[in-house]
Amino acid sequence: MDYYQPPKVENVQHVAVNQKKTKTEEDVKRDVRSAYGDVAKAKNQNKSCGNSRSCCGVSPDKGKEYSKELGYTQEELESVPDGCNMGLGCGNPQNLASLKQGEFVLDLGAGGGFDVFLAAKKVGSTGKIYGVDMTPEMLSKARENAIKGGYKNVEFLLGEIEHLPLPNSAVDVIISNCVVNLSTNKAQVFNESFRVLKEGGRIAISDMVALKPLPKEMIDNKELYCNCISGAVTIDELKKILSKAGFVDIAIEPDKDSRMFIKDWVPGSDAENYVVSAKIKATKPRTVK
């Protein structure tokens, strides 16, 4: 299967090292890449990795019940290739996106391709799904799953969500599942999302938000960061980031019931009293002529 190569188009932003970044930010990114690379390797070897109830843990017998807790149906779980669902999310962006035939979609942090493959069925042969991930091991697994499932309308790209390897106005919808919280530069993620969306395009993501400011000891905890906890920002802060990027019709709906599974991510961390999963939607406005 041939995979997408970024075209030589003006204003396309590629992954690059920003000399002004602090070592701390690069260290965090390295930690996240390593954690999710280990998940992909463990899945390939049918082994355990971390806490299988966390957003970056996996066990060889990780069933479908956890994914049902996140909002996926039995039909959805049975419709994708074995091995692409690693149970790494905190919700179901498919329920938010209302995808239509022929739409072009981008999944931020595609992992093994689970949400990409579900979206591919909804947009049909006239649509297209791009999955971006910065972890080579995840990208390889996603591409293997695409071949296994015979998907013709998906392409997986190696890249950072802060520097998307797509041209301007390339997609109608952006989905993501518990990934943006892992970025150390969320403003840049949504600036990039705004850039690659067409006018009238929309984001529909499931992600973590903070109910209140996190204490410093939680923010500085590597395990909590990689488990999608200490990178979460408050709802008000997230709304400001989205608005500054240019988005309108911003809606963030926290799911208080998600505390039931968050408490199992890092037992004893008290995370469920600080963060919850949320449904996040926003739109890129059309230019008034």
Side-chain angles (χ1 to χ4, degrees):
M1 177 182 289
D2 294 330
Y3 286 92
Y4 175 85
Q5 296 296 322
K8 294 182 179 180
V9 179
E10 290 185 5
N11 297 323
V12 175
Q13 297 188 26
H14 300 282
V15 176
V17 175
N18 184 339
Q19 297 299 326
K20 294 183 179 180
K21 278 188 176 180
T22 67
K23 186 177 185 296
T24 300
E25 289 175 324
E26 289 301 324
D27 284 345
V28 170
K29 188 175 293 184
R30 192 178 300 112
D31 289 341
V32 171
R33 184 183 289 112
S34 175
Y36 287 89
D38 288 345
V39 171
K41 292 174 186 176
K43 190 69 175 179
N44 286 337
Q45 299 169 9
N46 200 35
K47 295 181 179 180
S48 298
C49 177
N51 176 6
S52 66
R53 287 280 293 176
S54 80
C55 70
C56 71
V58 64
S59 68
D61 60 349
K62 191 166 187 178
K64 298 177 180 179
E65 294 308 310
Y66 179 64
S67 293
K68 290 180 181 179
E69 287 184 54
L70 301 181
Y72 293 97
T73 66
Q74 184 70 25
E75 182 181 3
E76 286 176 323
L77 297 172
E78 293 177 350
S79 69
V80 294
D82 289 339
C84 72
N85 175 21
M86 302 183 200
L88 300 178
C90 59
N92 181 358
Q94 306 292 324
N95 286 342
L96 305 177
S98 301
L99 299 178
K100 304 177 183 65
Q101 289 279 318
E103 287 190 315
F104 278 44
V105 182
L106 168 63
D107 183 10
L108 303 179
F114 180 42
D115 285 312
V116 168
F117 300 135
L118 290 176
K121 296 178 182 295
K122 294 180 180 179
V123 303
S125 59
T126 58
K128 187 85 171 183
I129 313 292
Y130 301 106
V132 170
D133 204 284
M134 72 171 182
T135 307
E137 294 87 351
M138 283 292 187
L139 193 71
S140 295
K141 188 160 190 64
R143 288 177 171 174
E144 291 172 3
N145 288 329
I147 294 172
K148 187 191 308 182
Y151 292 89
K152 304 298 183 182
N153 61 342
V154 304
E155 296 184 18
F156 291 98
L157 314 176
L158 181 64
E160 298 176 352
I161 59 176
E162 299 89 352
H163 305 280
L164 294 171
L166 285 171
N168 298 344
S169 305
V171 297
D172 301 287
V173 189
I174 291 177
I175 61 175
S176 185
N177 198 346
C178 212
V179 172
V180 178
N181 74 85
L182 294 167
S183 173
T184 56
N185 192 343
K186 296 168 182 60
Q188 176 65 13
V189 172
F190 288 116
N191 286 340
E192 276 289 87
S193 297
F194 192 88
R195 179 183 67 81
V196 303
L197 275 173
K198 299 176 184 178
E199 290 188 2
R202 61 198 187 276
I203 63 172
I205 70 178
S206 296
D207 217 310
M208 303 302 294
V209 296
L211 298 174
K212 54 187 175 182
L214 275 65
K216 188 176 187 300
E217 57 268 25
M218 291 184 73
I219 294 174
D220 293 340
N221 187 305
K222 171 184 171 181
E223 181 183 10
L224 294 183
Y225 199 100
C226 291
N227 275 279
C228 304
I229 294 168
S230 57
V233 297
T234 65
I235 293 174
D236 286 343
E237 185 176 354
L238 184 54
K239 285 181 177 178
K240 289 177 182 177
I241 292 172
L242 287 164
S243 179
K244 190 172 182 179
F247 287 99
V248 297
D249 300 328
I250 299 166
I252 301 176
E253 180 184 342
D255 178 9
K256 299 295 179 66
D257 290 339
S258 64
R259 295 171 64 181
M260 298 301 293
F261 59 77
I262 291 170
K263 69 178 181 179
D264 295 331
W265 284 4
V266 183
S269 67
D270 200 31
E272 70 275 13
N273 290 317
Y274 284 90
V275 301
V276 293
S277 174
K279 300 173 182 177
I280 303 163
K281 299 175 70 174
T283 303
K284 178 176 180 177
R286 298 182 185 276
T287 302
V288 178
K289 298 182 179 178

